[in-house]
Amino acid sequence: MSTPTAAPVPFVDLAWQHAQITDEVDAGFRRVLDATAFIDGPDVGAFETEFASFSGRRHCIGVANGTDAIELGLRALGIGRGDEVILPANTFIATAEAVDRSGATPVLVDCDADHLLIDPDLVGERITDRTRAVIGVHLYGQIAPMERLADVVAGRDVALFEDAAQAQGATRNDLGIGSWGTAATSFYPGKNLGAYGDGGAVLTDDDAVADSVRAIRNHGSSRRYYHDVKGVNSRLDTLQAVVLRAKLARLEAWNTLRREAAARYGSLLAELDGVRLPRTLDGNLHVWHLYVTEVDDRERVMEHLKEHGVGVAIHYPVPVHLHPAFADLGYSDGDFPVAEAAAPRIMSLPMFPGISADQQARVADVLTVAVGG
Ligand SMILES: *Cc1c(COP(=O)(O)O)cnc(C)c1O
């Protein structure tokens, strides 16, 4: 076993990533500045082609952020006012916000206790004649059980949609994101594929959906100053595309490092009573955006970890239906018992490419003391 270092362990370390791409980013930024190609410069199209190919999709359309990617993807499917879209109660708030922004009504379902992903068994009872889509959120870096959601919606006019903000590079039974439906992803800096600011993309194999997203992101026009639909301004910056191209070339290697780090936590923490380790759904290649454990007495455990220099976080402390912002949906405490039971117990440990075995040993040591193991 390696010797633990007493140095603080950050929750995430983006400097490690930047150190590897500094020269490429410097040269790329210079190229964009020299050409003053700030909007829709050649790097945007190049990145879109490269990321579509990486993901095995026909189209990638860059947008301003992941929340917009979900909203524009739904709008491109013709979803809007009067429609209902089903999504899990356990997700980042953006999934629900994007549905709301599209004009549709978010309809929530609980997650399963093993993986904290949308529970397909509960989706059927939420479908009404207004349901137009079901969003599988690939939470923490693993793909939701999309083929089971496909079974549930089979024979109905209900689209599958993927919130793949946390799952760039993940596969399920060897299929990548966007294999089951239109997918949206985020390039927020801390995501597995992160920009140096905001960014996002829609992935799809459907030519019409791709054309529609391209138009909506650019003021609803496919020809400059001619506007066919009401759109928005939601484009991916050229400077961000430069960063994303450099990071995409390393994404697979960095996801492998995350998997190795997850395996290392698995062995370091295996014998520790009082810490429930994250589980991987059969068939999934997990990319470990987050390493989410469950503990009793979480606030005390987190306090101890922070006092000893270990960065920890909660993803997410409050399920969607219990936020005042979504009180208008009319849900109440008790509606989604699995998500509600997990919320006060979940705790994310430091996880990033470049985390060292020493740093992880330090996390394990401090956590062991914290839970009294
Ligand atoms: C990050 C995230 C989003 C939103 O992405 P932004 O780029 O921050 O708008 C949506 N859904 C999930 C699950 C996310 O983690």
Side-chain angles (χ1 to χ4, degrees):
M1 205 171 123
S2 47
T3 331
T5 154
V9 183
F11 180 69
V12 56
D13 178 6
L14 298 180
W16 181 92
Q17 295 181 22
H18 183 63
Q20 299 185 34
I21 60 171
T22 310
D23 292 347
E24 261 167 79
V25 168
D26 285 352
F29 279 10
R30 209 171 315 122
R31 186 169 68 234
V32 175
L33 298 183
D34 287 347
T36 63
F38 305 117
I39 299 290
D40 205 24
D43 284 285
V44 174
F47 170 70
E48 288 175 334
T49 303
E50 289 160 8
F51 191 56
S53 152
F54 174 88
S55 307
R57 301 280 70 83
R58 282 172 61 80
H59 305 280
C60 166
I61 307 100
V63 297
N65 57 68
T67 313
D68 280 4
I70 302 169
E71 178 193 337
L72 269 58
L74 291 171
R75 287 179 59 182
L77 291 168
I79 293 167
R81 213 167 297 164
D83 297 331
E84 292 175 356
V85 173
I86 295 175
L87 67 143
N90 181 38
T91 183
F92 179 50
I93 199 72
T95 322
E97 286 174 325
V99 171
D100 182 74
R101 287 283 305 270
S102 78
T105 302
V107 173
L108 303 178
V109 294
D110 213 344
C111 56
D112 79 274
D114 272 349
H115 314 94
L116 306 179
L117 298 164
I118 188 169
D119 185 342
D121 291 337
L122 303 175
V123 170
E125 63 203 50
R126 301 276 161 177
I127 294 181
T128 72
D129 54 11
R130 293 162 75 161
T131 307
R132 296 290 314 282
V134 179
I135 304 181
V137 180
H138 305 334
L139 209 59
Y140 310 145
Q142 66 172 329
I143 292 183
M146 297 306 296
E147 74 290 340
R148 294 183 55 204
L149 293 178
D151 288 344
V152 175
V153 303
R156 304 178 198 252
D157 183 22
V158 175
L160 291 188
F161 196 95
E162 303 175 42
D163 178 344
Q166 303 189 357
Q168 293 110 353
T171 64
R172 172 157 186 73
N173 301 319
D174 295 323
L175 299 174
I177 59 174
S179 292
W180 298 270
T182 304
T185 196
S186 161
F187 305 126
Y188 178 83
K191 299 285 157 77
N192 287 39
L193 180 60
Y196 288 173
D198 282 308
V202 176
L203 291 163
T204 179
D205 289 334
D206 185 316
D207 298 350
V209 169
D211 285 345
S212 177
V213 173
R214 276 192 198 98
I216 297 170
R217 76 168 169 182
N218 193 26
H219 301 293
S221 70
S222 39
R223 184 156 63 110
R224 202 169 197 188
Y225 303 132
Y226 293 81
H227 306 278
D228 306 318
V229 293
K230 286 180 188 133
V232 296
N233 175 358
S234 182
R235 296 174 295 231
L236 180 65
D237 277 356
T238 312
L239 290 171
Q240 302 304 342
V242 166
V243 175
L244 292 168
R245 292 184 73 190
K247 287 196 176 181
L248 179 60
R250 292 150 177 92
L251 180 59
E252 212 147 71
W254 292 354
N255 281 344
T256 300
L257 291 178
R258 287 175 185 269
R259 254 190 307 279
E260 288 167 2
R264 226 178 286 129
Y265 274 141
S267 37
L268 285 165
L269 303 173
E271 307 299 322
L272 190 56
D273 286 337
V275 180
R276 182 194 181 279
L277 301 183
R279 299 180 192 175
T280 302
L281 197 60
D282 281 345
N284 271 356
L285 184 74
H286 203 312
V287 293
W288 299 101
H289 174 58
L290 295 167
Y291 192 87
V292 179
T293 64
E294 288 180 44
V295 292
D296 293 329
D297 204 1
R298 180 190 57 200
E299 302 320 312
R300 193 188 51 74
V301 171
M302 280 187 74
E303 203 49 47
H304 182 91
L305 287 163
K306 285 179 180 167
E307 268 168 25
H308 291 80
V310 173
V312 280
I314 306 169
H315 300 89
Y316 295 91
V318 181
V320 171
H321 65 296
L322 299 180
H323 288 281
F326 282 95
D328 61 342
L329 296 180
Y331 296 108
S332 48
D333 209 346
D335 282 349
F336 304 107
V338 179
E340 289 165 21
R345 298 175 44 80
I346 49 181
M347 180 178 77
S348 310
L349 299 183
M351 169 54 74
F352 48 88
I355 191 170
S356 70
D358 284 356
Q359 287 176 311
Q360 291 190 272
R362 166 84 182 152
V363 173
D365 281 1
V366 176
L367 181 56
T368 301
V369 174
V371 299

